[in-house]
Amino acid sequence: MTTLLEARYRTVLRLLPAYYRREREEEMLDTYLWGLDRDTQDQSRPTLGEVAGIAALAVRCRLGAPGAPRPYALLGSAVRLFALFAVGLQATSAVVDRALALTWALTRGAEGRHLFLIGFTGADPARTAVAVLTWVLPLLWTVAYFALLHDRRRPARYGALGAALPTLWPLLDPLTGDMAPRAHWYETAAALLAWLPALALCAAHHRDAPPARLPAGSPGLVFLAGCVVTGGSVVLLPAAADTVWAPATCFVVGALGWLLWHARRTDRTPPGAALALTALGLLVLAARVAALGPWLDVPGAEAVRGGGLGQTAALVLLTVALAVTAGRDLVRR
């Protein structure tokens, strides 16, 4: 007769995919129930640590653990590549944004330095600390990018989570009473663009996952190319540059280059790469549209509106092309 504790364990084990339960459920139950008499079993329940361990195992099994069926392996590959591509995009954007800000401040004399530093010297120490962290923490995207590609998974996780933290400040401001409630469309899109890759990195690059690898090029060369495209987009068209202009341009150029490379080298395309880029494209598109909204009614902002609308159209076309490519790759595989 099934005891109450066994029934509870079976309920928790339903978190695991069916293929894993068929192979290991009875063995796991025997391990959990070993040494417990029936009276104890009728009065006990799984511990929080056991539930957390089973949940973590369920995530690993669904994201390409060794021996997983083909659909789970493809899903795991896509999520890992999504995390890698998104972290790389965030890293280039953060480095270029701060490099351009410092260059502008240092080339404008005392007035430029004053305008740069005034953002970190508010009367409120808490605001000053938030401003400093908002400027510094996103640089951890670079740490996460290179740590991940050198198979240093723990520093990569910590770096990505730390770099994503500043995207929460605008969403938490209304809770402090300092700002009136309003629609945070751009802030929400920016938070999703940061936190979904960070969480994907933590979940998919688990200890059983294969090492992260770029489809082509070395980590340093790809990062440098991203920085050149991101910075060049601002230097060449400064009037059109808003908060999303540079990373959206980098994604458009990178995704277009990948589609051209994929058309010539389908045999070397990692499984799930097109699906990963499709997901990243949807996030960048959401941020692009959300950032463009406030400029629609601003007089004299024709360049920003034109650039934003052009990027939106390019992102829509690229995302559709990537989605079609992803569907073909999944059918082929």
Side-chain angles (χ1 to χ4, degrees), residues 252-263:
V252 168
V253 173
L256 183 59
W258 183 88
L259 281 173
L260 295 175
W261 179 79
H262 175 268

Side-chain angles (χ1 to χ4, degrees), residues 88-263:
L89 181 66
Q90 296 275 15
T92 57
S93 179
V95 169
V96 168
D97 179 72
R98 281 142 186 81
L100 291 177
L102 284 174
T103 301
W104 183 91
L106 295 175
T107 56
R108 293 299 187 277
E111 182 181 359
R113 291 192 295 272
H114 173 72
L115 290 175
F116 176 77
L117 293 173
I118 197 172
F120 306 99
T121 56
D124 184 357
R127 291 289 180 183
T128 299
V130 168
V132 172
L133 291 174
T134 299
W135 203 89
V136 173
L137 285 179
L139 294 173
L140 291 175
W141 286 118
T142 308
V143 175
Y145 170 79
F146 283 103
L148 185 60
L149 286 171
H150 287 85
D151 206 25
R152 301 292 188 266
R153 304 185 187 193
R154 183 171 294 179
R157 295 186 194 109
Y158 292 157
L161 293 174
L165 279 177
T167 62
L168 297 179
W169 309 151
L171 300 177
L172 297 177
D173 267 340
L175 301 180
T176 65
D178 296 334
M179 294 179 59
R182 62 184 179 88
H184 287 273
W185 300 116
Y186 170 70
E187 289 82 357
T188 301
L192 289 174
L193 185 56
W195 281 99
L196 287 181
L199 295 176
L201 190 157
C202 294
H205 288 278
H206 48 77
R207 64 173 180 264
D208 297 325
R213 293 289 183 270
L214 289 168
S218 64
L221 185 60
V222 171
F223 180 77
L224 180 60
C227 288
V228 170
V229 172
T230 304
S233 69
V234 178
V235 173
L236 295 177
L237 293 171
D242 61 357
T243 54
V244 184
W245 172 260
T249 301
C250 185
F251 175 81
V252 168
V253 173
L256 183 59
W258 183 88
L259 281 173
L260 295 175
W261 179 79
H262 175 268

